[in-house]
Amino acid sequence: MTVLKHLLNKIYPFSSRHETSDVDEEEFKLPNMASLVIMIAMNFLLQVSFFIVVSSSNKYAEYLGGSATFSGIIIGIPTAFAGLALIPLTRYDKGMYKMPLHVSCCFAILGHIAYALAYRANFLYLILIGRCLNGVAFSVFMYCKRYCTDPRIVGIRRRTTLASWLVICQGLGMSLGPFLGGVLYNIGFSNSIFNGYTSPGWVMAGVYAGFWVLVTKYFEDIPQPQTMIELQSATNSNAPSVLAAEANGRETESSPNYSSAPATRPASPTDVSFRAQLSLITRSQWGVIACMCWFSMLCFFILGSWEANLPVFGAAAGNLNWSPFAAGNFIALGGITCFPFLLANLLAARRTQDRKLLAFGTMIGLAGLLIFLSILRTGKVNYGSLFACWWAVALGFNLATTVTLSLLSKQLPPEWNGRTSMAIQYSNYTGRVTGAIWGGSGVSVGMLNYVGLEIAMVGIGAVLFTTLWRDLKTKTG
């Protein structure tokens, strides 16, 4: 036994095993469980908020004098304001998460109340104002993604898994939101304050009020990095010596006509560090960044356009003639039937490379678009054929969204996580807002043109993907 231990120590020293254990622990680390659950639950609530108006917004806008295109704007406009809200939030968040969560809960409540009051005020643009306020709340979509890939709290082999949880919540929100909106519309509630159009706003405002209490009580933010504290302490302790040196310098000036050259402000360590990091990014990595941003925009463009288009197309198609309740049920059914596959993806993400997940999801989504194009050309649109297309589109492009940020976080330096989170989230927002407007206009521009543009966009992504296949390889998990 002693000889065996001696041989093991020679081949695999204790220090090496200890270092390997530390590396494994670092790669598989997770944040505080209560805080992680709150961030994932927040992502779910925001998804429900985004989609709960999908089934009835067309009728609500029509009642107040709007059009189908305006209903698409109602669905998509929050993401534009979410992008604007990120500018001040990221400036003052100090790399933390609690302040953005409080801002999100506050504006979600205000936005849903304004959306609900539009009926009583008989003012079409109050719907838009309410959704714009909701948009500020939707800025936390970025923080949810950043939290799940933050190298300070999440190991490299946990990021795709946590991103899969976000996608599961995305699928649940995409299902529950339209279904709940359709049910509330169908119940009606013949009341000028609480009715089929306004009840989604009142219900979600109440939910966010309760959730805000949980955030205040249970969410634990990331501790401020020790290096920052030490830097501040060092700066404060060095201040007297710096002042003394300046005083001595002034005392030694002997010439009354002495004039010094204008001082130039030295570059800050942050600026130098950013330039150094920027110079280390290779051309292939820039290509990967562009590819992930394109797919991030593409997936949410197609998902957003279908969710906005289905109620309009279903109401316009003579053989369907959908009400908001029927449209909400249809959208929800597609999401619910995708749910088991999204759960399976949670397990597959631990053992499958990100690039393969992206390829698999894109192929399924493209198949749904091609089938939809064929049934439009042949005029064989019915409930079953349309559902098969929606199911493939919903499953495929939801799966593809799993890896866009996690893949970048594995390839780029940890300091870039905030920047890549912003890049991916702005791509998401661009896809959501343009997709919702495109979906609302789908019937008016022609459904063949509608689906043809989406197929062309997938084709561009396929060219990027195949060109950069080798560069997209990362660790699993």
Side-chain angles (χ1 to χ4, degrees):
M1 182 65 69
T2 305
V3 174
L4 180 59
K5 286 182 179 180
H6 178 72
L7 289 173
L8 284 174
N9 284 327
K10 285 285 186 183
I11 300 171
Y12 190 38
F14 174 78
S15 59
S16 299
R17 294 199 301 273
H18 183 68
E19 290 172 5
T20 304
S21 176
D22 289 343
V23 170
D24 290 343
E25 185 178 349
E26 183 70 16
E27 289 187 346
F28 287 93
K29 67 181 177 182
L30 285 171
N32 171 270
M33 188 54 63
S35 301
L36 177 61
V37 169
I38 284 175
M39 291 300 292
I40 293 176
M42 187 63 176
N43 182 71
F44 169 70
L45 288 180
L46 292 173
Q47 297 288 350
V48 174
S49 290
F50 188 86
F51 293 114
I52 197 169
V53 304
V54 165
S55 54
S56 59
S57 64
N58 184 35
K59 292 290 185 180
Y60 196 5
E62 183 181 324
Y63 173 81
L64 295 175
S67 62
T69 301
F70 187 82
S71 73
I73 296 173
I74 290 171
I75 296 170
I77 197 66
T79 54
F81 280 80
L84 293 174
L86 280 177
I87 298 172
L89 277 177
T90 52
R91 183 176 180 181
Y92 296 108
D93 64 13
K94 299 179 181 178
M96 304 292 110
Y97 296 91
K98 199 162 192 175
M99 183 270 284
L101 281 172
H102 286 309
V103 171
S104 180
C105 290
C106 176
F107 277 88
I109 293 170
L110 294 175
H112 282 296
I113 291 175
Y115 182 88
L117 289 175
Y119 185 94
R120 186 71 175 86
N122 196 28
F123 183 41
L124 174 65
Y125 290 96
L126 191 55
I127 300 176
L128 201 60
I129 293 170
R131 292 290 285 174
C132 292
L133 291 172
N134 281 151
V136 179
F138 293 161
S139 61
V140 174
F141 275 131
M142 188 278 291
Y143 287 94
C144 293
K145 291 181 176 65
R146 195 178 82 180
Y147 190 86
C148 291
T149 56
D150 195 325
R152 295 172 294 178
I153 51 174
V154 181
I156 194 171
R157 292 187 179 273
R158 295 290 193 184
R159 296 173 193 172
T160 304
T161 303
L162 293 188
S164 299
W165 277 109
L166 294 181
V167 172
I168 287 174
C169 291
Q170 182 176 300
L172 286 174
M174 186 182 70
S175 303
L176 181 60
F179 175 75
L180 183 59
V183 168
L184 291 171
Y185 174 86
N186 196 49
I187 294 174
F189 303 107
S190 55
N191 186 302
S192 61
I193 300 295
F194 197 91
N195 54 55
Y197 296 133
T198 66
S199 50
W202 294 119
V203 168
M204 291 308 300
V207 170
Y208 275 107
F211 186 74
W212 199 355
V213 175
L214 296 178
V215 170
T216 304
K217 187 174 182 180
Y218 294 108
F219 185 80
E220 296 179 8
D221 216 333
I222 299 175
Q224 188 175 5
Q226 186 67 26
T227 53
M228 292 296 295
I229 300 172
E230 292 172 353
L231 181 62
Q232 291 172 2
S233 176
T235 303
N236 293 335
S237 62
N238 289 335
S241 60
V242 171
L243 292 173
E246 290 179 353
N248 291 333
R250 285 194 296 269
E251 290 174 1
T252 56
E253 291 177 3
S254 57
S255 173
N257 297 324
Y258 175 80
S259 63
S260 60
T264 57
R265 185 180 68 86
S268 68
T270 304
D271 295 336
V272 174
S273 175
F274 176 68
R275 287 200 295 268
Q277 293 169 15
L278 200 62
S279 64
L280 294 175
I281 303 300
T282 63
R283 291 178 63 183
S284 62
Q285 286 177 318
W286 282 119
V288 172
I289 292 171
C291 182
M292 292 302 101
C293 287
W294 177 262
F295 271 97
S296 180
M297 184 277 296
L298 168 71
C299 292
F300 283 96
F301 177 88
I302 294 177
L303 289 172
S305 66
W306 274 70
E307 287 145 2
N309 178 260
L310 283 171
V312 180
F313 177 69
N319 59 332
L320 296 176
N321 196 25
W322 284 347
S323 65
F325 178 66
N329 287 343
F330 182 86
I331 296 171
L333 184 61
I336 288 296
T337 51
C338 290
F339 184 69
F341 297 91
L342 296 179
L343 280 178
N345 177 60
L346 182 65
L347 301 175
R350 301 176 183 178
R351 301 174 179 84
T352 309
Q353 290 183 17
D354 291 357
R355 58 179 181 171
K356 294 181 180 179
L357 290 175
L358 183 62
F360 182 66
T362 303
M363 287 190 293
I364 294 176
L366 178 60
L369 293 175
L370 293 173
I371 295 171
F372 187 51
L373 180 65
S374 67
I375 65 174
L376 286 173
R377 285 186 174 277
T378 58
K380 296 180 179 179
V381 178
N382 54 50
Y383 195 97
S385 62
L386 184 59
F387 178 78
C389 299
W390 166 231
W391 179 85
V393 167
L395 175 61
F397 292 111
N398 270 305
L399 286 176
T401 61
T402 305
V403 303
T404 49
L405 180 57
S406 63
L407 190 149
L408 285 182
S409 72
K410 295 174 183 179
Q411 288 207 354
L412 296 175
E415 296 82 5
W416 276 66
N417 187 58
R419 301 183 186 102
T420 53
S421 299
M422 289 282 285
I424 292 297
Q425 195 58 52
Y426 274 115
S427 302
N428 288 353
Y429 289 153
T430 302
R432 279 189 186 271
V433 67
T434 55
I437 296 171
W438 180 245
S441 307
V443 173
S444 59
V445 301
M447 292 301 294
L448 290 175
N449 295 327
Y450 163 79
V451 71
L453 175 65
E454 295 174 354
I455 292 173
M457 292 174 69
V458 175
I460 295 172
V463 171
L464 289 171
F465 189 83
T466 53
T467 304
L468 297 164
W469 176 257
R470 291 185 178 180
D471 301 313
L472 293 171
K473 186 176 181 180
T474 58
K475 289 185 177 182
T476 60

